[in-house]
Every structure is written in C-alpha cells, then in structure tokens.
C-alpha cells in the first residue's frame, strides 16, 4: 500500500487489469467499480462478440472458467449470456454478477476512468469502433497482440488511440512496428521490460505500460525504470 500511494503521488498511471480482478471477479462491473474505489486511473478489459453480434466483456473465448455456463461466447445470444452467473466462481459474495456488455461499461466509465479495450478479433474491433462513436466522452485506448489488426483499426479510425501489446523478448523489432502502427503506447510483458526498453520507447515518443505487475517489489523497480504506468490485478 505504501508503494501504491508513493506511485500515485507521481504520474504513474495505474491500470486495473480486468478491473480490480484480485479482489472481485474479473471483467465484471463489481471489479470495475472496485478499481475506481481503490484509486485506479484506468480499467483494462477484453471484448468478444455474442452470437447476435453484441460486444461483451470477457477474457476467454469460452464462458467455462468465469461463469456457471459452458461453451464459446459466440454460441450465446446476449439474452442467454446474461443469464449466466459471472461472480459465484470467484466468491459467493459476488453471486448474481453478470457478464457486462461493452456498452454498459462505456456508459458507466464516462467521466470516471480511462478505458483500455483489448481486441482479439477483427469483428470485435469493428464493433468496438462503431460503439465508441456514441460515447465521445469516453477516453479509450485500444490494444491488441494482433498487430495486423491494429493496422486495420488505424485505417478505419485515424485518430483512435492505440496500444501495442507485445509478449516478445525481441522488443526492438516490436517497438519499430509499434511506431509504424501509430500507437501512443507500448505494452510489453513485464518480464521483458528493462531500462533500455523504456528509454527507447520514450525516445520514439511512446508511453510504456507493462503488464501484469502485482508484486510490490517489481512495481517499484519498474517505477524506477521510468515506466509511465502498469497493469495490475490489484492496482
Ligand atoms: O493488456 C495486458 C493484458 O491484458 C494482456 O494479456 O491475457 O490478460 O489479456 P491478457
Ligand atoms: Ca487483456
């Protein structure tokens, strides 16, 4: 807690990964509300499409791990998906939580926190861009490990802020691609984050947000390297 407060006195940006997912079921409104309550600056979430094409907030391609249902998200209509319990698996106190729609989160997050939406498919990317048009007050950051997809999103929306996710130890090459994609930030795996990486990103004009950093010692060492923020399950 001491470290978190110290970081907060600086400009280090605290992203709540899937919401405050160490304390509440990931990617639920409970996790997002808690992230705000404990002082996060932004929330990160993942998006998939239902069978009827609605963007919903869930990490996995299936509902198996985080709900009482079974099967792929894309096999559920929105109505059927909303019947699933997305909280009980985490703790009985959260029974009754449902999988949020992205629109529900957009409505809630306006005027509160910045929103990092991780995109895993081209179809989800298109749906997200379409929906964001109706929420001009939301401060989005769209990220993906699929770098061709980021390029497509840039083509579709010249001004949408992009975050370049990387899980590669060959970060110099990834950084070149991030610059070419017009990303505003580079999101390296925390294990590959180093002072030279941070300096190179800053020289290239990109912010650095490593993921996913829960150990206070590691948070502290990244802070000393000069990262602009980081993703944490317990921000
Ligand atoms: O954005 C960082 C992080 O969310 C990427 O990995 O698997 O948690 O979506 P994952
Ligand atoms: Ca994610």
């Amino acid at each position: 807690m001491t470290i978190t407060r110290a970081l907060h006195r600086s400009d280090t940006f605290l992203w709540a990964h899937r919401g405050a997912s160490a304390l509440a079921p990931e990617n639920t409104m409970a996790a997002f509300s808690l992230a705000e309550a404990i002082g996060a600056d932004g929330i990160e979430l993942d998006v998939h499409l239902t069978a009827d094409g609605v963007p919903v907030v869930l990490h996995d391609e299936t509902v198996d791990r985080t709900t009482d249902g079974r099967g792929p998200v894309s096999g559920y209509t929105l109505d059927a998906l909303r019947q699933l319990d997305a909280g009980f698996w985490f703790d009985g106190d959260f029974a009754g939580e449902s999988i949020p729609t992205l629109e529900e989160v957009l409505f809630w997050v306006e005027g509160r926190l910045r929103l990092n939406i991780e995109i895993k498919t081209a179809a989800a990317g298109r749906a997200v861009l379409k929906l964001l048009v109706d929420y001009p007050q939301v401060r989005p950051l769209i990220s993906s490990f699929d770098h061709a997809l980021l390029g497509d999103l840039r083509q579709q929306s010249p001004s949408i802020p992009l975050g370049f996710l990387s899980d590669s130890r060959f970060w110099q090459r990834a950084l070149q691609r991030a610059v070419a994609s017009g990303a505003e930030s580079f999101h390296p795996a925390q294990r590959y984050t180093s002072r030279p990486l941070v300096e190179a990103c800053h020289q290239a004009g990109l912010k650095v947000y490593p993921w996913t950093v829960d150990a206070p010692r590691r948070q502290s060492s990244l802070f000393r390297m000069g990262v602009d923020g980081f993703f944490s399950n317990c921000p």
Side-chain angles (χ1 to χ4, degrees), residues 17-18 44 46 59 116 118 120 145 165 211 231:
H17 183 243
R18 310 180 194 174
E44 186 266 359
D46 311 276
H59 179 268
N116 177 205
E118 188 189 337
K120 297 183 193 287
F145 286 106
L165 274 162
W211 52 275
F231 294 87

Side-chain angles (χ1 to χ4, degrees), residues 73-194:
V73 183
S74 59
Y76 284 80
T77 61
L78 178 61
D79 281 351
L81 198 77
R82 295 286 275 183
Q83 305 306 314
L84 302 180
D85 187 312
F88 187 78
W89 69 275
F90 184 85
D91 188 283
D93 285 350
F94 294 100
E97 279 291 323
S98 53
I99 295 174
T101 63
L102 178 60
E103 185 152 28
E104 190 178 352
V105 179
L106 293 177
F107 184 78
W108 175 83
V109 84
E110 266 184 335
R112 295 173 184 268
L113 302 169
R114 197 168 182 203
L115 178 62
N116 177 205
I117 304 173
E118 188 189 337
I119 306 286
K120 297 183 193 287
T121 66
R126 284 191 296 275
V128 167
L129 289 186
K130 195 162 166 235
L131 201 50
L132 281 171
V133 172
D134 296 333
Y135 292 86
Q137 304 305 319
V138 169
R139 294 171 292 140
L141 175 61
I142 310 294
S143 61
S144 187
F145 286 106
D146 183 336
H147 304 142
L149 179 49
L150 283 181
D152 290 348
L153 293 173
R154 171 57 72 234
Q155 294 270 316
Q156 292 168 53
S157 176
S159 60
I160 194 81
L162 297 177
F164 192 97
L165 274 162
S166 171
D167 193 13
S168 171
R169 70 174 72 243
F170 305 111
W171 58 264
Q172 290 96 336
R173 199 183 310 158
L175 177 56
Q176 281 178 355
R177 296 192 68 189
V179 170
S181 73
E184 74 160 48
S185 48
F186 190 70
H187 303 189
Q190 61 97 3
R191 63 184 175 283
Y192 299 135
T193 306
S194 61

Side-chain angles (χ1 to χ4, degrees), residues 28-105:
T28 62
M29 293 311 299
F32 301 141
S33 299
L34 199 52
E36 182 189 30
I38 64 180
D41 300 299
I43 54 172
E44 186 266 359
L45 54 77
D46 311 276
V47 168
H48 290 280
L49 297 184
T50 61
D52 40 353
V54 180
V56 291
V57 178
L58 191 84
H59 179 268
D60 300 356
E61 284 178 21
T62 74
V63 301
D64 299 27
R65 182 177 61 86
T66 56
T67 77
D68 56 352
R70 289 286 174 273
V73 183
S74 59
Y76 284 80
T77 61
L78 178 61
D79 281 351
L81 198 77
R82 295 286 275 183
Q83 305 306 314
L84 302 180
D85 187 312
F88 187 78
W89 69 275
F90 184 85
D91 188 283
D93 285 350
F94 294 100
E97 279 291 323
S98 53
I99 295 174
T101 63
L102 178 60
E103 185 152 28
E104 190 178 352
V105 179

